[in-house]
Amino acid sequence: MSYLVLARKYRPRNFTEMVGQDHVVQALTNALTTQRLHHAYLFTGTRGVGKTTVSRILAKSLNCQGVDGNGGITATPCGVCAACSDIDSGRFVDYTELDAASNRGVDEVQALLEQAVYKPVQGRFKVFMIDEVHMLTNTAFNAMLKTLEEPPEYLKFVLATTDPQKVPVTVLSRCLQFNLRPMAPETIREHLTKVLEVERVPAEIQALRLLARAARGSMRDALSLADQAIAFGAGQLQEDTVRQMLGSVDRSYVFRLIEALALGDGKTVVETSEALRLHGLSAASTLEEMSTVLQRMAVVQTLARSGAAATQDDDSDPEASETARLAALLPVDETQLLYSICLHGRADLGLAPDEYAALTMVLLRLLAFKPSGPVVPAEKKTLNSASAAVIPEPEPEPEPVAPAALQPVAATPRAVQPWEDAAEPPQTSELLPPGQRLHVHVAAPHRDLGDDFEPNRPEAQVEYAQHATKVVAVPLRVQPETRSDVVAGQVAQVLIPTEEGDFWHATVQGLMQAEAINAMVRELALQSQLVARDIDQWILRVERESLNQPGSRDRLSAALKGAGYAVKLVVEIGRVTDSPGRRNHAASAEKQLAAEKIIFDDPFVQSMMRDFGAKIVPGSIKPI
């Protein structure tokens, strides 16, 4: 007696035996019950999830004759009539299965469609089932479009594919599409338990979990692996034998690695990796198991932070407590980091000459990025307002500044008023970090010094310093009040006018006004410095090599020739201190400074700033 594999022996014979596809079963059952039947169905999904099985059950439901031979269309085929028995055995004349992977041409499709003109011989409906329909050629698809859209009333099409993206939209629009989902490991494990109980094969629960995870959502793969495990384990399924058959890594190694990484124990990590090498366990399987455990740890951590109870997939899972313990041991951010490293590390295994060495490097990568101490939040690089104070690190409160520290202010041309902030800090730069200054704010009101107080008198400065109640020093970042302060400082450093620069600036301005140069030629002229000129040759200097292009030089020479200077241009690379662009920038900066001076010196603006704390928005002043 020949042995029938479990995947074929326990193939569902009706909708009630279908596992894990309740959404498809419900839709088809209701359609059969109410007689609302479509003429074409498309079942999609990965391998081993039940596409062909649903097709055969649907064909039996359409052609079932009942036990007494008087049945009609039903959602519960009897399974004993001639039609049901012949469909199960694959010899029903009105049910045709076409494998499109090996019959993908237009001739095969035309031969199938030629049968559509004949009415059913034995059953109630003809059912054409085309498996792996995405393998058909475009010509074959086009040949079946008309019949697929308007078939005879006795003809039903059932299409199945693992890759619906390759099916033309003209076919998809003519079909009622159902997506069969990959099955959850728990669903597969429960079904395996029932099958093995019927087969009277003893099986450990952990062995079934390994088979369910290895099946990756396919029930057929799970039953095939169960067949292999029964043969490998001599009629019984034990965790050790199944793990050895699958080549999967014992979770004890995974837990040991994660705990060592959480504690920063590099020695244990290396020793465990070497143990995996000695036992011949797969490096890729190790990273896969670690990713699975880390994902469960992340879920436990998230539920714990939200105050919810950490539920596991199965209360009887012996690994649940160990997963919860590691979740409490490893910080949340490191869990996410290690999970990402494990996922990306699998791609590195094939690039290394030794996959176990690559595995060790992947595991040690977390230790390299592991924080060595408490993480200090990064300092913000922007201020919410001009008066906001940013303190780099906690410092003791500064001691009050002595009145003598304010005496140098009296020597400044403009006296510091009680209601104003000091324009420049005292000489305490050696006490502050680089790039910071001391912002002094005087809190004493003017009226407390008497009616005869005159702030412009030197004696008044000393009197005011003696009456000052509090001086607070707060370190602030140096930020110019206006953009022109920075512009003026930059121009003063880089622009050194020369006699040749005057001539070159006037020449370039003339070429620009005449629109003789544009684009890169204009940039070359503006950014270059005329170093020397002879009767037939001029020497220009630029700072960027990208400006020194032969085409730009030739066009600039042609423009100069048109202006009356028939000379050859020689361009060198070096430091530029006088160019038309820098001169234009300096002139623009001077206009900007003049415009800002007019605004700042305006009495009304000064009164608004003094009395109401008004401030001029930097960059809002533009010269006319």
Side-chain angles (χ1 to χ4, degrees), residues 567-593:
V567 295
K568 177 184 177 182
L569 291 181
V570 177
V571 181
E572 62 181 21
I573 306 300
R575 183 171 179 267
V576 175
T577 58
D578 185 11
S579 66
R582 297 183 189 274
R583 286 176 175 252
N584 293 341
H585 194 268
S588 176
E590 290 178 0
K591 292 180 181 180
Q592 180 69 28
L593 289 174

Side-chain angles (χ1 to χ4, degrees), residues 297-543:
M297 290 171 54
V299 172
V300 173
Q301 291 172 342
T302 302
L303 294 177
R305 294 177 63 184
S306 61
T311 59
Q312 297 296 329
D313 298 335
D314 192 346
D315 295 336
S316 62
D317 188 355
E319 299 172 352
S321 59
E322 185 68 13
T323 303
R325 184 183 70 84
L326 292 177
L329 185 63
L330 193 66
V332 177
D333 55 346
E334 292 187 20
T335 302
Q336 298 291 336
L337 176 61
L338 183 54
Y339 178 78
S340 178
I341 289 176
C342 290
L343 285 184
H344 293 84
R346 296 181 63 185
D348 298 343
L349 298 179
L351 303 177
D354 182 3
E355 68 171 3
Y356 293 101
L359 173 63
T360 304
M361 291 301 298
V362 170
L363 297 175
L364 295 179
R365 194 170 298 163
L366 178 66
L367 297 179
F369 291 102
K370 188 179 181 67
S372 58
V375 180
V376 180
E379 179 184 350
K380 292 184 178 180
K381 296 186 178 181
T382 58
L383 296 178
N384 294 331
S385 62
S387 60
V390 179
I391 303 178
E393 60 183 4
E395 295 287 348
E397 292 188 2
E399 296 292 335
V401 181
L406 295 177
Q407 293 179 1
V409 180
T412 58
R414 181 174 177 271
V416 179
Q417 303 298 332
W419 55 82
E420 294 179 340
D421 295 344
E424 295 295 334
Q427 302 298 325
T428 57
S429 59
E430 67 278 4
L431 300 178
L432 296 175
Q436 295 185 353
R437 62 172 179 159
L438 196 64
H439 192 72
V440 181
H441 177 72
V442 182
H446 179 88
R447 61 179 180 271
D448 292 343
L449 300 178
D451 297 336
D452 57 347
F453 176 75
E454 297 181 8
N456 294 329
R457 294 184 298 106
E459 297 83 356
Q461 295 295 330
V462 179
E463 182 181 0
Y464 171 73
Q466 293 176 353
H467 286 81
T469 59
K470 185 178 182 181
V471 178
V472 180
V474 181
L476 289 178
R477 295 188 177 196
V478 177
Q479 292 185 344
E481 293 295 333
T482 61
R483 182 175 56 86
S484 59
D485 296 341
V486 178
V487 173
Q490 294 177 350
V491 172
Q493 295 177 2
V494 298
L495 178 59
I496 304 177
T498 60
E499 182 178 353
E500 297 294 342
D502 297 338
F503 170 77
W504 181 238
H505 180 260
T507 303
V508 172
Q509 291 297 114
L511 294 176
M512 293 175 57
Q513 292 177 1
E515 297 184 355
I517 56 176
N518 55 20
M520 292 298 297
V521 183
R522 182 179 63 241
E523 287 301 314
L524 173 60
L526 288 174
Q527 303 301 329
S528 61
Q529 177 179 352
L530 181 60
V531 180
R533 53 178 171 149
D534 203 347
I535 298 177
D536 57 349
Q537 178 175 296
W538 289 3
I539 300 177
L540 300 179
R541 181 184 298 164
V542 294
E543 292 184 344

Side-chain angles (χ1 to χ4, degrees), residues 182-259:
M183 302 181 194
E186 295 75 22
T187 303
I188 296 177
R189 179 176 58 81
E190 292 174 359
H191 187 66
L192 286 178
T193 302
K194 297 177 181 178
V195 169
L196 294 177
E197 286 178 355
V198 176
E199 290 290 319
R200 297 181 181 179
V201 176
E204 296 181 359
I205 186 65
Q206 196 62 21
L208 296 180
R209 284 198 179 93
L210 292 174
L211 293 176
R213 286 201 297 261
R216 298 184 181 277
S218 172
M219 185 63 74
R220 183 176 61 213
D221 289 1
L223 292 172
S224 299
L225 289 173
D227 258 329
Q228 182 181 354
I230 292 173
F232 189 82
Q236 54 183 339
L237 273 65
Q238 297 180 350
E239 179 183 0
D240 295 339
T241 57
V242 171
R243 193 180 295 278
Q244 183 180 359
M245 181 195 75
L246 297 176
S248 57
V249 179
D250 189 355
R251 284 284 177 90
S252 61
Y253 291 103
V254 175
F255 293 143
R256 191 187 313 167
L257 285 172
I258 295 178
E259 183 175 7

Side-chain angles (χ1 to χ4, degrees), residues 21 23-24 42-46 49 161 164 177-182:
Q21 306 297 343
H23 61 295
V24 177
L42 175 63
F43 298 117
T44 65
T46 186
V49 293
T161 177
Q177 184 172 349
F178 293 93
N179 181 27
L180 279 72
R181 304 163 185 165

